[in-house]
Amino acid sequence: MIDPVIASRLQFALTTIVHIIFPVMSMGLAPFLVYFTWKEIRGGDPVYEQLRRFWTKIFAVSFVVGTVTGIVLEFEFGTNFAAFSTVAGELFGGPLALEGMMAFMLEATFLGVFVFGRERVGDRLYFVSAVAVGLGTWLSAVWILIANSWMQTPRGFELVESGGREVVRLTDPLAAYLNPRFPYMFVHMQNAAVLSVALVMAGIGAYYVFRHHVWGNTVPHADFWERTLKIALVALVITAPFQVVHGDVYARHVSESQPQKFAAMEAVWETDSYVPEYIVAFPTSVEDMTNPKAKDIFGIGIPGGASWLASGGDPQATITGLNEFEEAPPVAVVFWSFRIMVALGFWFVLLAFWGAFRWYRGGLLDDDLLHKALMLSAPLGILAVELGWVVTEVGRQPWVIQNVLQTSEGVSPGLTGGEATLTLLSFAAVYLGLLTLYGYVLARIVRAGPPGREELRTVDAEDADAALAPGVTVDD
């Protein structure tokens, strides 16, 4: 059986990796849906009603699955990390409760109006429902990221004796909630969500545009897919460069507030200046492959690049090495996750401006190479988000609360290896089935495409009539 600490960490990592897909989809879609609704209400091109109805289906499915998997995560704080919940309960209880009472209830209440109420309410109330759903989605991220960012840079608390152990007592809730890490995490995460959804939209749109304009197939609603591709490219041009610029600022903050994590991101062992930014790095011996503190490495890097990144422009800046700390996180995992994430970020910038250039030159709809690149890149935004969370969480180890509580001390004391292993395997099977089902449902929605122009509003009116008493219509 796996050690309960390792099994609990693996289980929480598994459930988090799966869960984050759905909030990314719902948070990323929220601003698009508000825009589509606004354009639809203003009148004009009926394609915006098609866009709103099509992407609302994907939003609703993502919201439902995200709610279920999010509840599981909250239960795991009690089943697998009860000691952590005991220590940090006073801090964690508030944000998690507010996330449920404020954000989730706002989103869930207006989601019914937004999904089913187009013909039942006026334009103003319907637009309010779109904004409320989007606001609720983003408010959920606020409270979850407040809790997580506090674990990275804890503030506004003191440790007091309670029940024979030290626990967190809030002394300044405002300082705790608005801790130094929160604004960086929130901006980076929300922009990443919009960027990820833009890539999904661009990939799907490019597929149908490719079939229609390159292969010459007849594609229903070709104008819908062309508009989808163009809207996604506009979002990519805005979000992709911003993510790279903000990521640079974020990394500088990490180097100041969590030097151990930054050293793992850059594989820096000895405190030094003019530290290179390694593009790739490998241990020079087979034995060192399993040694987390292997110093002899072969690397290709930019001289002074890591120092420049840490300081914001000084290639001679000093970086604290991992040897200054008693324990190091799994460096290879953090190092490569960070490298791949950064590489994907620059690829998204290239992809965005490639698409914008072809659009400007009039070749957007006929560039088969661009279409293929967009199709292959559709899931890469979500992959980049996953890698970013790996860097965030694994890079903090062995601490679950930085410099306050180690992860091994936060696991439920009565949990056995057998119990933890059984639930880990069970969760892996269930979540694999859940992901398969989610993918199947999304594929069916995409294959079905948007409603036809002749169905717009007519279908909604028929649905409204069916919901009323026999013989009563909306007009009545």
Side-chain angles (χ1 to χ4, degrees), residues 77-96:
F77 286 123
T79 57
N80 293 76
F81 292 94
F84 164 76
S85 300
T86 300
V87 173
E90 185 165 323
L91 182 283
F92 257 64
L96 294 184

Side-chain angles (χ1 to χ4, degrees), residues 141-421:
V142 168
W143 296 111
I144 297 301
L145 292 177
I146 280 175
N148 188 277
S149 62
W150 181 84
M151 295 162 64
Q152 313 285 335
T153 54
R155 297 290 190 277
F157 75 102
E158 63 179 1
L159 292 174
V160 299
E161 190 77 17
S162 177
R165 69 173 305 162
E166 289 188 322
V167 299
V168 168
R169 173 179 292 170
L170 282 178
T171 57
D172 187 347
L174 190 61
Y177 289 178
L178 301 181
N179 62 82
R181 179 61 51 85
F182 170 70
Y184 293 96
M185 292 188 77
F186 181 76
V187 172
H188 208 64
M189 182 64 211
Q190 301 311 97
N191 190 73
V194 177
L195 171 58
S196 299
V197 167
L199 285 165
V200 172
M201 294 176 68
I204 296 173
Y207 170 72
Y208 284 102
V209 170
F210 177 80
R211 286 183 57 191
H212 184 62
H213 287 273
V214 179
W215 281 358
N217 294 344
T218 300
V219 174
H221 319 296
D223 61 331
F224 169 88
W225 298 113
E226 292 170 11
R227 187 69 61 90
T228 297
L229 175 58
K230 290 177 179 178
I231 290 173
L233 278 177
V234 171
L236 283 175
V237 169
I238 296 171
T239 57
F242 179 76
Q243 192 74 352
V244 171
V245 173
H246 185 265
D248 173 67
V249 178
Y250 191 175
R252 198 172 312 138
H253 167 71
V254 171
S255 73
E256 296 169 355
S257 58
Q258 290 179 301
Q260 180 183 4
K261 179 186 292 186
F262 188 83
M265 289 161 53
E266 301 295 343
V268 177
W269 305 108
E270 302 289 346
T271 300
D272 202 358
S273 58
Y274 199 62
V275 178
E277 173 71 16
Y278 286 113
I279 308 302
V280 295
F282 299 96
T284 56
S285 67
V286 177
E287 294 78 12
D288 284 343
M289 291 295 290
T290 58
N291 178 11
K293 290 196 174 185
K295 301 176 186 177
D296 297 324
I297 61 173
F298 167 76
I300 301 174
I302 304 170
S307 294
W308 184 89
L309 179 64
S311 63
D314 181 9
Q316 298 293 336
T318 300
I319 295 179
T320 304
L322 288 166
N323 288 331
E324 301 293 328
F325 306 95
E326 293 184 5
E327 299 182 71
V331 177
V333 175
V334 179
F335 178 88
W336 284 111
S337 296
F338 181 66
R339 290 297 172 286
I340 298 171
M341 178 188 67
V342 171
L344 288 174
F346 281 106
W347 167 245
F348 300 153
V349 174
L350 174 62
L351 199 60
F353 284 101
W354 179 11
F357 176 74
R358 294 300 294 153
W359 188 1
Y360 173 75
R361 296 295 297 270
L364 175 63
L365 304 181
D366 302 313
D367 192 332
D368 60 331
L369 185 59
L370 172 63
H371 298 162
K372 292 174 183 177
L374 289 169
M375 285 186 273
L376 292 173
S377 300
L380 295 185
I382 293 176
L383 174 60
V385 171
E386 302 279 17
L387 292 170
W389 277 108
V390 169
V391 174
T392 299
E393 301 305 309
V394 178
R396 187 181 66 239
Q397 299 304 317
W399 302 99
V400 64
I401 305 175
Q402 186 72 47
N403 299 326
V404 175
L405 181 71
Q406 293 201 353
T407 306
S408 58
E409 299 170 341
V411 174
S412 302
L415 188 65
T416 67
E419 293 168 339
T421 303

Side-chain angles (χ1 to χ4, degrees), residues 397-471:
Q397 299 304 317
W399 302 99
V400 64
I401 305 175
Q402 186 72 47
N403 299 326
V404 175
L405 181 71
Q406 293 201 353
T407 306
S408 58
E409 299 170 341
V411 174
S412 302
L415 188 65
T416 67
E419 293 168 339
T421 303
L422 178 62
T423 55
L424 170 62
L425 296 176
S426 301
F427 273 60
V430 170
Y431 274 55
L432 177 61
L434 183 66
L435 275 178
T436 302
L437 180 61
Y438 178 74
Y440 171 74
V441 172
L442 257 59
R444 289 201 57 170
I445 293 173
V446 171
R447 283 199 300 267
R453 296 290 173 88
E454 70 283 354
E455 300 176 60
L456 300 184
R457 299 296 176 88
T458 303
V459 171
D460 286 340
E462 292 172 353
D463 291 344
D465 289 344
L468 297 172

